[in-house]
């Protein structure tokens, strides 16, 4: 999912609101099986709100899902998201 969002953004220049809608549609598709749907949904809401990138939010959500107290990062923007700690 991260690669799909990256391509839609980087190659096709789709804005964050439309990216979030695309992810939402993919999550709602019955004939797709998406791993860690809940974490993808969390990342989609972060993207939609404009508070961070989809990939960063997905990494943080997956870290939380695996029971980690925080994901260390050097990225100041990512450090503002839940589940991250500035290294």
């Amino acid at each position: 999912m991260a690669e799909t969002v990256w391509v839609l953004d980087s190659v096709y220049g789709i804005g964050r609101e439309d990216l979030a809608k695309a992810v939402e549609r993919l999550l709602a598709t019955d004939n797709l099986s998406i791993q860690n749907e809940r974490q993808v949904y969390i990342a989609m809401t972060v993207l939609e709100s404009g508070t961070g990138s989809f990939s960063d939010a997905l990494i943080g959500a997956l870290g939380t899902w695996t029971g980690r107290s925080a994901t260390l990062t050097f990225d100041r923007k990512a450090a503002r998201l839940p589940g991250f700690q500035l290294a």
Side-chain angles (χ1 to χ4, degrees):
M1 188 63 70
E3 182 71 12
T4 299
V5 170
W6 183 84
V7 168
L8 291 174
D9 177 29
S10 300
V11 177
Y12 295 101
I14 296 175
R16 67 175 174 78
E17 290 177 6
D18 288 332
L19 285 171
K21 288 177 188 175
V23 171
E24 188 173 27
R25 285 192 300 269
L26 288 170
L27 286 170
T29 302
D30 290 334
N31 58 351
L32 286 178
S33 177
I34 297 174
Q35 185 176 4
N36 298 95
E37 285 186 34
R38 177 74 182 135
Q39 289 69 37
V40 171
Y41 178 82
I42 291 167
M44 181 208 63
T45 61
V46 168
L47 176 65
E48 188 174 46
S49 70
T51 57
S53 77
F54 179 83
S55 296
D56 287 343
L58 183 58
I59 290 167
L62 289 170
T64 301
W65 172 72
T66 61
R68 303 300 180 254
S69 60
T71 298
L72 296 178
T73 184
F74 295 107
D75 183 342
R76 293 190 186 279
K77 287 183 182 179
R80 292 183 273 182
L81 295 172
F84 281 93
Q85 180 181 335
L86 196 57

Coordinates of all heavy atoms in Angstrom, one line a residue:
M1 N 0.8 -1.2 0.0 CA 0.0 0.0 0.0 C 0.9 1.3 0.0 O 0.5 2.2 -0.7 CB -0.9 0.0 1.2 CG -2.0 1.1 1.2 SD -3.1 1.0 -0.1 CE -4.1 -0.4 0.3
A2 N 2.0 1.2 0.7 CA 2.9 2.4 0.8 C 3.4 2.7 -0.6 O 3.5 3.9 -1.0 CB 4.0 2.1 1.8
E3 N 3.7 1.6 -1.4 CA 4.3 1.8 -2.7 C 3.2 2.4 -3.6 O 3.5 3.3 -4.4 CB 4.8 0.5 -3.3 CG 5.3 0.6 -4.7 CD 6.7 1.4 -4.7 OE1 7.3 1.6 -3.7 OE2 7.1 1.7 -5.8
T4 N 2.0 2.0 -3.5 CA 0.9 2.5 -4.3 C 0.7 4.0 -4.0 O 0.6 4.8 -5.0 CB -0.5 1.7 -4.0 OG1 -0.2 0.3 -4.3 CG2 -1.6 2.3 -4.8
V5 N 0.6 4.4 -2.8 CA 0.5 5.8 -2.4 C 1.6 6.6 -2.9 O 1.5 7.7 -3.5 CB 0.3 5.9 -0.9 CG1 0.3 7.4 -0.5 CG2 -1.1 5.3 -0.5
W6 N 2.9 6.0 -2.8 CA 4.0 6.8 -3.3 C 4.0 7.0 -4.8 O 4.3 8.1 -5.2 CB 5.3 6.0 -2.9 CG 6.6 6.7 -3.3 CD1 7.2 7.7 -2.6 CD2 7.3 6.6 -4.5 NE1 8.3 8.1 -3.3 CE2 8.3 7.5 -4.5 CE3 7.1 5.8 -5.7 CZ2 9.3 7.6 -5.5 CZ3 8.0 5.9 -6.7 CH2 9.1 6.8 -6.6
V7 N 3.6 6.0 -5.5 CA 3.5 6.1 -7.0 C 2.4 7.1 -7.4 O 2.7 8.0 -8.2 CB 3.3 4.8 -7.7 CG1 2.9 4.9 -9.2 CG2 4.5 3.9 -7.5
L8 N 1.3 7.0 -6.8 CA 0.2 8.0 -7.1 C 0.6 9.4 -6.8 O 0.2 10.3 -7.5 CB -1.1 7.6 -6.3 CG -1.8 6.3 -6.7 CD1 -2.9 6.0 -5.8 CD2 -2.2 6.4 -8.2
D9 N 1.4 9.6 -5.7 CA 1.8 10.9 -5.3 C 3.0 11.4 -6.2 O 2.9 12.4 -6.9 CB 2.2 10.9 -3.9 CG 2.8 12.3 -3.4 OD1 2.4 13.3 -3.9 OD2 3.7 12.2 -2.5
S10 N 4.0 10.6 -6.3 CA 5.3 11.0 -6.9 C 5.2 11.0 -8.5 O 5.7 11.9 -9.1 CB 6.4 10.1 -6.5 OG 6.6 10.1 -5.2
V11 N 4.6 10.0 -9.0 CA 4.5 9.9 -10.5 C 3.3 10.6 -11.1 O 3.5 11.3 -12.1 CB 4.5 8.4 -10.9 CG1 4.4 8.2 -12.4 CG2 5.8 7.7 -10.4
Y12 N 2.2 10.5 -10.4 CA 1.0 11.1 -11.0 C 0.6 12.4 -10.3 O -0.4 13.0 -10.8 CB -0.2 10.0 -10.9 CG 0.1 8.8 -11.7 CD1 0.6 7.6 -11.2 CD2 -0.1 8.9 -13.1 CE1 0.8 6.5 -11.9 CE2 0.2 7.8 -13.9 CZ 0.6 6.6 -13.3 OH 0.9 5.5 -14.1
G13 N 1.2 12.8 -9.3 CA 1.0 14.1 -8.6 C -0.4 14.2 -8.0 O -1.0 15.3 -7.9
I14 N -1.0 13.1 -7.6 CA -2.3 13.2 -6.9 C -2.2 13.8 -5.5 O -1.3 13.4 -4.8 CB -2.9 11.7 -6.9 CG1 -3.1 11.3 -8.3 CG2 -4.2 11.7 -6.1 CD1 -3.6 9.8 -8.4
G15 N -3.0 14.7 -5.2 CA -3.0 15.4 -3.9 C -3.4 14.5 -2.7 O -4.0 13.4 -2.9
R16 N -3.1 14.9 -1.5 CA -3.3 14.1 -0.3 C -4.8 13.7 -0.1 O -5.1 12.6 0.3 CB -2.7 14.8 0.9 CG -3.4 16.0 1.3 CD -2.9 16.6 2.6 NE -3.4 17.8 2.9 CZ -4.6 18.0 3.4 NH1 -5.4 17.0 3.7 NH2 -5.1 19.2 3.6
E17 N -5.7 14.6 -0.4 CA -7.1 14.3 -0.2 C -7.6 13.2 -1.2 O -8.3 12.2 -0.8 CB -8.0 15.5 -0.3 CG -7.8 16.5 0.8 CD -8.6 17.8 0.6 OE1 -9.4 17.9 -0.3 OE2 -8.5 18.7 1.4
D18 N -7.2 13.3 -2.4 CA -7.5 12.3 -3.4 C -6.8 11.0 -3.1 O -7.3 9.9 -3.3 CB -7.2 12.8 -4.8 CG -8.2 13.8 -5.3 OD1 -9.4 13.8 -4.8 OD2 -7.9 14.6 -6.1
L19 N -5.5 11.1 -2.6 CA -4.8 9.9 -2.2 C -5.5 9.1 -1.1 O -5.7 7.9 -1.1 CB -3.4 10.2 -1.7 CG -2.4 10.6 -2.8 CD1 -1.1 11.1 -2.1 CD2 -2.1 9.4 -3.7
A20 N -6.0 9.9 -0.1 CA -6.7 9.3 1.0 C -8.0 8.6 0.5 O -8.4 7.5 0.9 CB -7.1 10.3 2.1
K21 N -8.7 9.3 -0.4 CA -9.9 8.7 -1.0 C -9.6 7.4 -1.8 O -10.4 6.4 -1.7 CB -10.6 9.7 -2.0 CG -11.3 10.8 -1.2 CD -11.9 11.8 -2.2 CE -12.4 13.0 -1.5 NZ -12.9 14.0 -2.5
A22 N -8.5 7.4 -2.5 CA -8.1 6.1 -3.2 C -7.8 5.0 -2.2 O -8.2 3.9 -2.4 CB -6.8 6.4 -4.0
V23 N -7.1 5.3 -1.1 CA -6.8 4.3 -0.1 C -8.1 3.8 0.5 O -8.3 2.6 0.7 CB -5.8 4.8 1.0 CG1 -5.7 3.8 2.1 CG2 -4.5 5.1 0.4
E24 N -9.0 4.7 0.8 CA -10.3 4.3 1.4 C -11.1 3.4 0.4 O -11.7 2.4 0.8 CB -11.1 5.6 1.7 CG -12.4 5.3 2.4 CD -13.1 6.6 2.9 OE1 -12.9 7.6 2.2 OE2 -13.8 6.5 3.9
R25 N -11.0 3.7 -0.9 CA -11.7 2.8 -1.8 C -11.1 1.5 -1.9 O -11.8 0.5 -2.0 CB -11.7 3.5 -3.2 CG -12.7 4.6 -3.3 CD -13.0 5.1 -4.8 NE -11.7 5.6 -5.4 CZ -11.3 6.9 -5.4 NH1 -12.0 7.8 -4.8 NH2 -10.2 7.2 -6.0
L26 N -9.7 1.4 -1.9 CA -9.1 0.1 -1.9 C -9.4 -0.7 -0.6 O -9.6 -1.9 -0.7 CB -7.5 0.3 -1.9 CG -7.0 0.8 -3.3 CD1 -5.6 1.2 -3.2 CD2 -7.2 -0.3 -4.3
L27 N -9.5 0.0 0.5 CA -9.9 -0.7 1.8 C -11.3 -1.2 1.7 O -11.6 -2.3 2.3 CB -9.7 0.2 3.0 CG -8.3 0.5 3.4 CD1 -8.3 1.6 4.5 CD2 -7.6 -0.7 4.0
A28 N -12.2 -0.6 1.0 CA -13.6 -1.0 0.9 C -13.8 -2.0 -0.2 O -14.9 -2.6 -0.3 CB -14.4 0.3 0.6
T29 N -12.8 -2.3 -1.0 CA -13.0 -3.3 -2.1 C -13.0 -4.7 -1.5 O -12.1 -5.1 -0.8 CB -11.8 -3.2 -3.1 OG1 -11.8 -1.8 -3.6 CG2 -12.0 -4.1 -4.2
D30 N -14.1 -5.4 -1.8 CA -14.3 -6.8 -1.3 C -13.3 -7.8 -1.9 O -13.0 -8.8 -1.2 CB -15.7 -7.2 -1.6 CG -16.7 -6.5 -0.7 OD1 -16.4 -6.0 0.3 OD2 -17.9 -6.4 -1.2
N31 N -12.9 -7.6 -3.1 CA -12.0 -8.6 -3.7 C -10.5 -8.4 -3.5 O -9.7 -9.1 -4.1 CB -12.4 -8.8 -5.2 CG -12.2 -7.5 -6.0 OD1 -12.0 -6.5 -5.4 ND2 -12.3 -7.7 -7.3
L32 N -10.2 -7.5 -2.6 CA -8.8 -7.3 -2.2 C -8.6 -7.7 -0.8 O -9.4 -7.4 0.1 CB -8.4 -5.8 -2.4 CG -8.2 -5.3 -3.8 CD1 -7.8 -3.8 -3.7 CD2 -7.1 -6.0 -4.5
S33 N -7.5 -8.3 -0.5 CA -7.1 -8.6 0.9 C -5.9 -7.7 1.2 O -4.8 -7.9 0.6 CB -6.7 -10.1 1.0 OG -6.3 -10.4 2.3
I34 N -6.1 -6.8 2.2 CA -5.1 -5.9 2.5 C -4.5 -6.2 3.9 O -5.3 -6.3 4.9 CB -5.6 -4.4 2.5 CG1 -6.0 -4.1 1.0 CG2 -4.6 -3.4 3.0 CD1 -6.7 -2.8 0.8
Q35 N -3.3 -6.4 4.0 CA -2.6 -6.8 5.2 C -2.7 -5.6 6.2 O -2.4 -4.4 5.8 CB -1.2 -7.2 5.0 CG -0.5 -7.7 6.2 CD 0.9 -8.2 5.9 OE1 1.4 -8.1 4.7 NE2 1.6 -8.7 6.9
N36 N -2.9 -5.8 7.4 CA -3.0 -4.8 8.5 C -3.9 -3.6 8.1 O -3.5 -2.4 8.1 CB -1.6 -4.2 8.8 CG -0.7 -5.3 9.3 OD1 0.1 -5.9 8.5 ND2 -0.7 -5.6 10.6
E37 N -5.1 -4.0 7.8 CA -6.1 -3.0 7.3 C -6.3 -1.8 8.3 O -6.4 -0.7 7.9 CB -7.5 -3.6 7.1 CG -7.5 -4.4 5.8 CD -8.9 -4.9 5.5 OE1 -9.9 -4.2 5.8 OE2 -9.0 -6.0 4.9
R38 N -6.3 -2.2 9.6 CA -6.5 -1.1 10.6 C -5.4 -0.1 10.6 O -5.6 1.1 10.7 CB -6.6 -1.8 12.0 CG -6.7 -0.8 13.1 CD -8.1 -0.2 13.2 NE -8.1 0.7 14.3 CZ -8.7 1.9 14.2 NH1 -9.3 2.3 13.1 NH2 -8.7 2.7 15.2
Q39 N -4.1 -0.6 10.4 CA -3.0 0.3 10.4 C -3.0 1.1 9.1 O -2.6 2.3 9.1 CB -1.7 -0.5 10.6 CG -1.5 -1.0 12.0 CD -2.4 -2.2 12.3 OE1 -2.8 -3.0 11.5 NE2 -2.9 -2.2 13.6
V40 N -3.4 0.5 8.0 CA -3.5 1.3 6.8 C -4.6 2.4 6.9 O -4.4 3.5 6.5 CB -3.8 0.3 5.6 CG1 -4.2 1.1 4.3 CG2 -2.7 -0.6 5.3
Y41 N -5.7 2.0 7.6 CA -6.7 3.0 7.8 C -6.2 4.2 8.7 O -6.5 5.3 8.3 CB -7.9 2.4 8.5 CG -9.0 3.3 8.8 CD1 -9.9 3.7 7.8 CD2 -9.2 3.9 10.1 CE1 -10.9 4.6 8.1 CE2 -10.2 4.8 10.3 CZ -11.0 5.2 9.3 OH -12.0 6.1 9.6
I42 N -5.5 3.9 9.7 CA -4.9 4.9 10.5 C -4.0 5.8 9.7 O -4.1 7.1 9.8 CB -4.1 4.3 11.7 CG1 -5.1 3.7 12.7 CG2 -3.2 5.4 12.4 CD1 -4.4 2.8 13.7
A43 N -3.1 5.3 8.9 CA -2.3 6.0 8.0 C -3.1 6.9 7.0 O -2.7 8.0 6.7 CB -1.3 5.1 7.3
M44 N -4.2 6.3 6.5 CA -5.0 7.1 5.6 C -5.6 8.3 6.3 O -5.7 9.4 5.7 CB -6.1 6.2 5.1 CG -7.1 6.9 4.1 SD -8.7 6.2 4.1 CE -9.3 6.6 5.7
T45 N -6.0 8.2 7.6 CA -6.6 9.3 8.3 C -5.6 10.4 8.5 O -5.9 11.6 8.5 CB -7.3 8.9 9.6 OG1 -6.3 8.3 10.5 CG2 -8.4 7.9 9.3
V46 N -4.3 10.0 8.8 CA -3.2 11.0 9.0 C -3.0 11.7 7.7 O -2.9 13.0 7.6 CB -1.9 10.3 9.5 CG1 -0.7 11.2 9.4 CG2 -2.1 9.8 10.9
L47 N -2.9 11.0 6.6 CA -2.8 11.6 5.2 C -3.9 12.6 4.9 O -3.7 13.7 4.5 CB -2.7 10.5 4.2 CG -2.6 11.0 2.7 CD1 -1.3 11.7 2.5 CD2 -2.8 9.8 1.8
E48 N -5.1 12.1 5.2 CA -6.3 12.9 4.9 C -6.3 14.2 5.7 O -6.7 15.3 5.2 CB -7.5 12.1 5.2 CG -8.9 12.7 4.9 CD -10.0 11.8 5.1 OE1 -10.0 11.1 6.2 OE2 -10.8 11.6 4.2
S49 N -5.9 14.2 7.0 CA -5.9 15.3 7.9 C -4.7 16.3 7.5 O -4.7 17.4 8.0 CB -5.8 14.9 9.3 OG -4.5 14.4 9.6
G50 N -3.7 15.8 6.8 CA -2.6 16.7 6.5 C -1.6 16.8 7.6 O -0.7 17.6 7.5
T51 N -1.6 15.9 8.6 CA -0.7 16.0 9.7 C 0.6 15.2 9.5 O 1.5 15.3 10.3 CB -1.4 15.5 11.0 OG1 -1.9 14.2 10.8 CG2 -2.5 16.4 11.4
G52 N 0.7 14.4 8.4 CA 1.9 13.7 8.2 C 1.8 12.9 6.9 O 0.7 12.8 6.3
S53 N 2.8 12.2 6.6 CA 2.8 11.4 5.3 C 2.2 10.0 5.6 O 2.2 9.5 6.7 CB 4.2 11.2 4.8 OG 5.0 10.3 5.6
F54 N 1.7 9.4 4.6 CA 1.1 8.1 4.7 C 2.1 7.1 5.1 O 1.9 6.3 6.1 CB 0.5 7.7 3.3 CG -0.1 6.3 3.3 CD1 -1.4 6.1 3.8 CD2 0.6 5.2 2.9 CE1 -2.0 4.8 3.8 CE2 0.1 3.9 3.0 CZ -1.2 3.8 3.4
S55 N 3.3 7.1 4.5 CA 4.3 6.1 4.9 C 4.8 6.2 6.3 O 4.9 5.2 7.0 CB 5.5 6.2 3.9 OG 5.2 5.9 2.6
D56 N 5.0 7.4 6.8 CA 5.4 7.6 8.1 C 4.3 7.1 9.1 O 4.6 6.5 10.1 CB 5.8 9.1 8.4 CG 7.1 9.5 7.8 OD1 7.9 8.7 7.4 OD2 7.2 10.8 7.7
A57 N 3.1 7.5 8.8 CA 2.0 7.1 9.7 C 1.8 5.6 9.7 O 1.5 5.0 10.7 CB 0.7 7.8 9.2
L58 N 2.0 5.0 8.5 CA 1.9 3.5 8.5 C 3.0 2.8 9.3 O 2.8 1.9 10.0 CB 2.0 3.0 7.0 CG 1.8 1.5 6.8 CD1 0.5 1.0 7.4 CD2 1.8 1.2 5.3
I59 N 4.2 3.4 9.2 CA 5.3 2.8 10.0 C 5.0 2.9 11.5 O 5.2 2.0 12.2 CB 6.7 3.5 9.6 CG1 7.1 3.1 8.2 CG2 7.8 3.2 10.7 CD1 8.2 4.0 7.6
G60 N 4.6 4.1 11.9 CA 4.2 4.3 13.3 C 3.1 3.4 13.8 O 3.2 2.8 14.9
A61 N 2.1 3.2 12.9 CA 0.9 2.4 13.3 C 1.3 0.9 13.4 O 0.9 0.2 14.3 CB -0.2 2.6 12.3
L62 N 2.2 0.5 12.5 CA 2.7 -0.9 12.5 C 3.6 -1.1 13.7 O 3.5 -2.2 14.3 CB 3.4 -1.2 11.2 CG 2.6 -1.4 10.0 CD1 3.4 -1.4 8.7 CD2 1.6 -2.6 10.1
G63 N 4.4 -0.1 14.1 CA 5.2 -0.3 15.3 C 4.3 -0.4 16.5 O 4.6 -1.3 17.4
T64 N 3.3 0.4 16.6 CA 2.4 0.3 17.8 C 1.7 -1.0 17.8 O 1.5 -1.7 18.8 CB 1.4 1.5 17.7 OG1 2.1 2.7 17.7 CG2 0.4 1.4 18.9
W65 N 1.3 -1.5 16.6 CA 0.6 -2.8 16.5 C 1.4 -3.9 17.0 O 1.0 -4.9 17.5 CB 0.2 -3.0 15.0 CG -0.4 -4.3 14.7 CD1 -1.6 -4.8 15.0 CD2 0.3 -5.3 13.9 NE1 -1.8 -6.1 14.5 CE2 -0.6 -6.4 13.8 CE3 1.5 -5.4 13.3 CZ2 -0.3 -7.6 13.1 CZ3 1.8 -6.6 12.6 CH2 0.9 -7.6 12.5
T66 N 2.8 -3.8 16.7 CA 3.7 -4.9 17.2 C 4.0 -4.8 18.6 O 4.8 -5.6 19.1 CB 4.9 -4.9 16.3 OG1 5.6 -3.7 16.5 CG2 4.6 -5.2 14.9
G67 N 3.5 -3.8 19.3 CA 3.7 -3.6 20.7 C 4.9 -2.7 21.1 O 5.3 -2.7 22.3
R68 N 5.5 -2.0 20.2 CA 6.6 -1.2 20.4 C 6.1 0.1 21.1 O 5.1 0.6 20.7 CB 7.4 -0.8 19.2 CG 7.9 -2.0 18.4 CD 8.9 -2.8 19.2 NE 9.4 -3.9 18.5 CZ 9.0 -5.2 18.7 NH1 8.1 -5.5 19.6 NH2 9.6 -6.2 18.0
S69 N 6.9 0.6 22.0 CA 6.5 1.9 22.7 C 6.7 3.1 21.8 O 6.0 4.1 21.9 CB 7.2 2.1 24.0 OG 8.6 2.1 23.8
A70 N 7.7 3.0 20.9 CA 8.0 4.1 20.0 C 8.9 3.6 18.9 O 9.7 2.6 19.0 CB 8.7 5.2 20.7
T71 N 8.8 4.2 17.7 CA 9.7 4.0 16.6 C 10.6 5.2 16.6 O 10.2 6.4 16.5 CB 8.9 3.9 15.3 OG1 8.0 2.8 15.3 CG2 9.9 3.8 14.1
L72 N 11.9 5.0 16.6 CA 12.9 6.0 16.6 C 13.1 6.6 15.2 O 13.1 5.8 14.2 CB 14.3 5.6 17.1 CG 14.3 5.1 18.6 CD1 15.7 4.6 19.0 CD2 13.9 6.2 19.5
T73 N 13.2 7.9 15.1 CA 13.4 8.5 13.8 C 14.3 9.7 13.9 O 14.4 10.4 15.0 CB 12.0 8.9 13.2 OG1 12.2 9.4 11.9 CG2 11.3 10.0 14.1
F74 N 14.9 10.1 12.8 CA 15.7 11.3 12.7 C 14.8 12.4 12.0 O 15.2 13.5 11.9 CB 16.9 11.1 11.9 CG 17.9 10.2 12.6 CD1 18.1 8.9 12.1 CD2 18.6 10.6 13.7 CE1 19.0 8.0 12.8 CE2 19.5 9.8 14.3 CZ 19.7 8.5 13.9
D75 N 13.7 12.0 11.5 CA 12.7 12.9 10.7 C 11.9 13.7 11.7 O 11.0 13.1 12.4 CB 11.9 12.0 9.8 CG 10.9 12.8 8.9 OD1 10.7 14.0 9.2 OD2 10.5 12.2 8.0
R76 N 12.1 15.0 11.8 CA 11.4 15.8 12.7 C 9.9 15.8 12.4 O 9.1 15.9 13.4 CB 11.9 17.2 12.7 CG 13.3 17.3 13.3 CD 13.8 18.7 13.5 NE 15.2 18.8 13.9 CZ 15.6 18.6 15.1 NH1 14.7 18.3 16.1 NH2 16.9 18.7 15.4
K77 N 9.5 15.7 11.2 CA 8.0 15.7 10.9 C 7.4 14.4 11.3 O 6.3 14.4 11.9 CB 7.8 15.9 9.3 CG 8.1 17.2 8.8 CD 7.7 17.3 7.3 CE 8.0 18.7 6.8 NZ 7.7 18.8 5.4
A78 N 8.1 13.3 11.1 CA 7.6 12.0 11.6 C 7.5 11.9 13.1 O 6.6 11.3 13.6 CB 8.4 10.9 11.0
A79 N 8.4 12.6 13.7 CA 8.5 12.6 15.2 C 7.2 13.2 15.8 O 6.9 12.9 17.0 CB 9.7 13.2 15.7
R80 N 6.5 14.0 15.1 CA 5.3 14.6 15.6 C 4.1 13.7 15.6 O 3.1 14.0 16.2 CB 5.0 15.9 14.8 CG 6.0 17.0 15.0 CD 5.6 18.2 14.3 NE 6.2 18.1 12.9 CZ 6.1 19.0 12.0 NH1 5.4 20.1 12.2 NH2 6.6 18.9 10.8
L81 N 4.2 12.6 14.9 CA 3.1 11.6 14.7 C 3.1 10.7 15.9 O 4.2 10.4 16.5 CB 3.3 10.8 13.4 CG 3.2 11.6 12.2 CD1 3.5 10.7 11.0 CD2 1.8 12.1 12.0
P82 N 2.0 10.1 16.3 CA 1.9 9.1 17.4 C 2.7 7.9 17.0 O 2.8 7.5 15.9 CB 0.4 8.8 17.4 CG -0.3 9.8 16.7 CD 0.6 10.4 15.7
G83 N 3.4 7.4 18.0 CA 4.2 6.2 17.8 C 5.6 6.4 17.5 O 6.4 5.5 17.3
F84 N 6.1 7.7 17.4 CA 7.4 8.0 17.0 C 8.1 8.8 18.1 O 7.5 9.4 18.9 CB 7.5 8.9 15.8 CG 7.3 8.2 14.5 CD1 6.1 8.1 13.9 CD2 8.4 7.6 13.8 CE1 5.9 7.4 12.7 CE2 8.2 6.9 12.7 CZ 7.0 6.8 12.1
Q85 N 9.4 8.7 18.2 CA 10.3 9.4 19.1 C 11.5 9.9 18.3 O 12.1 9.1 17.6 CB 10.7 8.5 20.3 CG 11.5 9.2 21.3 CD 11.9 8.3 22.4 OE1 11.2 7.3 22.7 NE2 13.0 8.5 23.0
L86 N 11.8 11.1 18.5 CA 13.0 11.7 17.8 C 14.3 11.1 18.4 O 14.4 11.0 19.6 CB 13.0 13.2 18.0 CG 13.9 14.0 17.0 CD1 13.6 13.7 15.6 CD2 13.8 15.4 17.3
A87 N 15.1 10.5 17.5 CA 16.4 9.9 18.0 C 17.5 10.9 18.3 O 17.5 12.0 17.8 CB 16.9 8.9 17.0

